[in-house]
Structure formats: structure tokens, C-alpha cells
Amino acid sequence: MGADFLERATPQFEKCWDKGRLDLVAQDLFTRLPTTKSRAFEATLLGAAQVKKGEKITIDKVRTGLLVSRGHTELALSEDAPAAVVKAIEANCGVAQGIVDEVHEMAGVVEISVCIARLQ
């Protein structure tokens, strides 16, 4: 009676970590998926250009790419920016303002967010 009684009275341990992980990625009524397109792109730094995180810069559409500059100083160039970003800048008279999100000095790459009210 003692062992059998304890077995029925004691709740059994249930492994639930895996189920919890699945619940995090399962969609339900309250799941919110991103609906906007990316407003960021990467550009390769030109020469010894100095760029700081948080700095406001100008982005110009040139040929098939985007040129990043501060005043008349050219800082970086992106020849493979997302098409939606390029089209939005093109529709904005070929120029937009941006903010430097990250600077990867070792790689010579900078991440830039585009400040346009609405991407096409």
C-alpha cells in the first residue's frame, strides 16, 4: 500500500522544455509578424574614411548603387543594397538621410538605416 499510494499521489515530472520552445515559434491569434521592409543596408568604407555609430549621413543614388557621404566627403559605397531601399531613394529625388547603425572597422563595412517615411 505505501509505495503504490505514493506513486499515485505524487505528480509525475514531465519534460516540457521542448514544448515550450515550440510554443514560442507557433503562430496564434496574437502573433505579430514584421510587415515592413528592411530600411537598412551595408556599405564598404572608402579609403580611410572615419565614421561613427549614430552619425547622420547623406545617401545618394549613383548608377546602380548608393553613395554614403558627409558633406562633400565620400565615406562608403554600396553596390548591392536591397532593391526596395534603392527604389525608395530613387523615388525621393535620388537622395536620403541615413544613420550609421554599426561600424565594422576590421571588415571595412558600415551598416546604415535609411530615414525615408515610406519604402515602396
Side-chain angles (χ1 to χ4, degrees):
M1 174 177 154
D4 187 38
F5 175 75
L6 285 175
E7 217 171 275
R8 282 183 277 140
T10 308
Q12 299 296 315
F13 175 75
E14 201 172 304
K15 187 176 177 183
C16 61
W17 284 100
D18 290 334
K19 184 181 179 321
R21 287 178 57 207
L22 291 175
D23 288 345
L24 287 174
V25 295
Q27 294 185 13
D28 62 10
L29 179 63
F30 301 106
T31 302
R32 293 180 61 190
L33 299 174
T35 56
T36 59
K37 297 178 182 173
S38 174
R39 297 175 184 230
F41 66 96
E42 292 181 356
T44 305
L45 290 170
L46 300 172
Q50 297 293 315
V51 183
K52 295 177 185 171
K53 184 175 178 176
E55 181 176 5
K56 291 182 181 177
I57 45 85
T58 303
I59 306 162
D60 293 294
K61 166 85 172 61
V62 291
R63 294 179 297 284
T64 60
L66 300 175
L67 179 67
V68 178
S69 59
R70 180 191 321 110
H72 295 292
T73 306
E74 296 178 350
L75 303 171
L77 179 66
S78 176
E79 295 179 341
D80 59 351
V85 173
V86 174
K87 286 180 185 177
I89 292 173
E90 212 169 44
N92 199 46
C93 299
V95 65
Q97 186 179 30
I99 298 174
V100 177
D101 285 335
E102 293 292 332
V103 179
H104 305 283
E105 292 177 19
M106 297 282 287
V109 174
V110 64
E111 295 176 33
I112 299 168
S113 290
V114 181
C115 302
I116 292 181
R118 190 176 73 160
L119 290 184
Q120 307 299 330

